[in-house]
């Protein structure tokens, strides 16, 4: 065992860390480990610089060939008929909701997500109805979601949390069909995640991706809709470009939500790396699984064998009674390890929703209990095995020290 079981380390002893080198890894000395880092190998940076030059010389800076190519390749990768790019994963959600006409309707969203998932419902004129989560997957609780369906409900949004495709996605598909509800995937964490070989973003009426820098792949900023639905595709293309149709006529109200050629270039080069990135993240996750699986104070999430996780984040849920903020502070200041949450506070406890939906506090008990005890560990393609061992052992040591 890495720690003697009853050792009570003092905060600040990381300098003389008991972290022992592994036989086959480099020294496990103290090192900074950020929670995320985009993956840009030299070769890709060169490709981006050369693409940048081409774009600048062409004079076509937006809605040009890089954007078309990125959309084409992304649709091919996800396995949908269409992919429509935009400037963010918030605008892609709003365009999906608007295309489906959710105005005046209710849309069920999990409380455990980036608040953009439900904010965009409001922006599109609907009402988000927040559902609780399952403690074992941190994804939407399917029964709780369906218990909230009313005559006004039009859609349910599943967020593949941290990159785990909801293991109950087929049940969600079946029950939505039966109750005449639209299923939407917020796949902002799940680029490259699969279930039985099918990709996140192809498992519902429409998928929404974000390319924010922390995501599995990035376009610096940006978003993408994936869908087989021609209407969603056409309306979204219009909405992102001031409501213009293919002849340049403004046929509806719209925005400037275009993805520039420069962002598309970065996204396209990153797409070429996605399999490598997801594979690497899975390797890091298996190091964490292996290191943490026997620690009774730490619960790791189980992934069914038919699902490939994309590991946008690696969440662990800690035993009740542990001081999470002290653990995170110690990890950061004593071990130089950044950690995060997924998500705390959840949407219904964020100040903005506390004032809009005050009745929800205490009504989504699993999320309130579990998310307050859940942290996410660093996971990115540039990490190596020894970084992951260092992080896992730092966490184990920290938990012992602050108990
Ligand atoms: C689940 C989820 N949905 C939507 C978004 C919004 O994406 P963006 O930041 O690109 O607007 C995020 C973002 O970070 C997210 O994690």
């Amino acid at each position: 065992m890495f720690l003697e079981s009853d050792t009570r380390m003092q905060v600040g002893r990381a300098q003389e860390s008991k972290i022992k080198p592994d036989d086959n890894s480099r020294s496990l000395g103290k090192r900074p480990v950020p929670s995320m880092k985009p993956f840009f190998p030299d070769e890709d940076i060169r490709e981006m610089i050369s693409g940048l030059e081409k774009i600048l010389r062409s004079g076509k800076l937006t809605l040009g060939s890089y954007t078309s190519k990125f959309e084409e390749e992304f649709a091919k990768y996800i396995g949908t008929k269409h992919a429509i790019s935009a400037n963010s994963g918030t605008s892609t959600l709003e365009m999906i909701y608007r295309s489906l006409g959710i105005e005046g309707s209710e849309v069920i969203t999990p409380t455990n997500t980036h608040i953009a998932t439900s904010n965009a419902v409001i922006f599109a004129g609907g009402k988000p109805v927040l559902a609780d989560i399952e403690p074992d997957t941190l994804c939407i609780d399917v029964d709780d979601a369906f218990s909230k369906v009313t005559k006004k409900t039009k859609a349910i949004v599943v967020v593949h949390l941290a990159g785990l495709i909801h293991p109950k996605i087929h049940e969600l598909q079946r029950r939505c069909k039966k109750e005449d509800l639209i299923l939407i995937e917020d796949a902002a964490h799940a680029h490259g995640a699969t279930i039985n070989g099918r990709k996140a973003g192809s498992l519902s009426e429409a998928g929404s991706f974000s390319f924010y820098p922390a995501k599995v792949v990035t376009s610096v900023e940006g978003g993408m809709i994936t869908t087989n639905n021609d209407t969603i595709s056409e309306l979204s293309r219009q909405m992102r470009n001031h409501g213009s149709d293919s002849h340049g006529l403004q046929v509806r109200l719209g925005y400037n939500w275009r993805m520039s050629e420069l962002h598309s270039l970065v996204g396209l080069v990153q797409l070429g790396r996605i399999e490598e990135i997801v594979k690497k993240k899975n390797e890091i996750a298996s190091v964490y699984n292996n290191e943490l699986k026997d620690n009774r104070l730490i619960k790791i999430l189980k992934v069914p064998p038919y699902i490939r996780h994309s590991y946008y984040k690696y969440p662990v849920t800690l035993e009740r009674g542990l001081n999470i903020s002290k653990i995170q502070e110690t990890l950061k200041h004593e071990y130089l390890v950044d950690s995060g949450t997924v998500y705390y506070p959840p949407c219904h406890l964020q100040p903005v929703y506390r004032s809009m939906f005050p009745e929800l506090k205490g009504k989504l008990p699993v999320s309130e209990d579990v998310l307050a005890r859940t942290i996410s560990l660093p996971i990115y393609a540039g990490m190596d095995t020894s970084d992951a061992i260092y992080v896992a052992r730092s966490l184990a040591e920290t938990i012992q020290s602050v108990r």
Side-chain angles (χ1 to χ4, degrees), residues 88-90 93 113-114 116-117 159 186 188-189 210-212 215 222 343:
S88 77
T90 307
L93 284 164
T113 180
H114 188 289
T117 313
V159 179
D186 184 338
H189 302 176
S210 163
F211 298 114
Y212 178 75
K215 301 303 192 217
Y343 283 83

Side-chain angles (χ1 to χ4, degrees), residues 325-400:
S325 37
K326 198 159 176 201
I327 288 170
Q328 291 194 288
E329 264 169 44
T330 305
L331 273 176
K332 180 159 184 59
H333 299 298
E334 304 301 329
Y335 292 88
L336 311 178
V337 171
D338 279 339
S339 61
T341 64
V342 273
Y343 283 83
Y344 200 78
C347 293
H348 73 286
L349 299 183
Q350 293 286 352
V352 58
Y353 281 8
R354 284 292 300 279
S355 62
M356 292 171 80
F357 309 110
E359 70 284 1
L360 287 180
K361 186 170 179 343
K363 295 283 167 42
L364 301 166
V366 179
S367 68
E368 291 188 19
D369 167 35
V370 173
L371 300 177
R373 298 186 284 117
T374 299
I375 63 172
S376 59
L377 302 182
I379 191 156
Y380 50 90
M383 278 177 84
D384 65 24
T385 304
S386 79
D387 295 330
I389 297 173
Y390 172 74
V391 170
R393 295 185 186 182
S394 299
L395 174 65
E397 246 183 33
T398 300
I399 288 176
Q400 288 295 335

Side-chain angles (χ1 to χ4, degrees), residues 52-66:
L52 172 63
E53 187 173 358
K54 276 191 207 135
I55 292 167
L56 295 179
R57 292 198 189 287
S58 78
K60 182 78 179 158
L61 305 187
T62 196
L63 294 183
S65 58
Y66 278 95

